[in-house]
Amino acid sequence: MAALTFVAAVLSLALKKEQPAYAFLVSVCAAAGAMAVVVQQIEPVMDWLRTLNGIFPGQGISCLLRVLGIAIIAQLASDICREAGLAAAATAVELGGRVLALLQALPLLQGLLASYAGYLQ
């Protein structure tokens, strides 16, 4: 993965002056390739989290997985927007990711607050 990103960075820098569109395309393809490698390597962690999801009742682990997925995808999309020179779009993607993550975690938070309120009574 390091070799892939290094070659992509050198190629992107070489193309940036004369062909900025191709430099951007090389950057995006390198990011997609690196992401594919990471997804393949993270499978044991995902299996472990799925095992925990079966052991512990409730939606805590599945909620965590959804929030982590949203955060990773939002960060990747934001970085791609920044690479393309779209800072405002990158900020909007980050904000959207945060809102979606909060919405996914909302049922878990509501259950926690209901449990806490029941404890106080």
Side-chain angles (χ1 to χ4, degrees), residues 42-56 61-62 64-65 68:
I42 202 167
E43 191 60 36
V45 174
M46 295 299 291
D47 288 340
W48 178 70
L49 287 173
R50 285 187 198 108
T51 303
L52 285 180
N53 194 27
I55 294 171
F56 294 110
I61 302 297
S62 62
L64 174 68
L65 289 174
L68 284 174

Side-chain angles (χ1 to χ4, degrees), residues 6-20 22-23 26:
F6 179 74
V7 169
V10 170
L11 188 58
S12 180
L13 285 173
L15 290 173
K16 192 167 254 184
K17 286 184 181 179
E18 295 180 20
Q19 299 289 332
Y22 287 124
V26 166

Side-chain angles (χ1 to χ4, degrees), residues 28-116:
V28 170
C29 288
M35 198 65 170
V37 170
V38 169
V39 166
Q40 289 175 348
Q41 298 300 316
I42 202 167
E43 191 60 36
V45 174
M46 295 299 291
D47 288 340
W48 178 70
L49 287 173
R50 285 187 198 108
T51 303
L52 285 180
N53 194 27
I55 294 171
F56 294 110
Q59 294 192 8
I61 302 297
S62 62
C63 177
L64 174 68
L65 289 174
R66 288 192 306 265
V67 169
L68 284 174
I70 290 169
I72 289 169
I73 291 170
Q75 184 66 45
L76 180 64
S78 172
D79 289 343
I80 289 173
C81 287
R82 275 204 182 78
E83 181 74 21
L86 303 170
T91 303
V93 167
E94 287 176 350
L95 178 62
R98 289 180 184 129
V99 168
L100 289 175
L102 180 61
L103 286 174
Q104 286 297 313
L106 195 58
L108 191 61
L109 182 61
Q110 288 172 336
L112 181 66
L113 289 175
S115 174
Y116 183 69

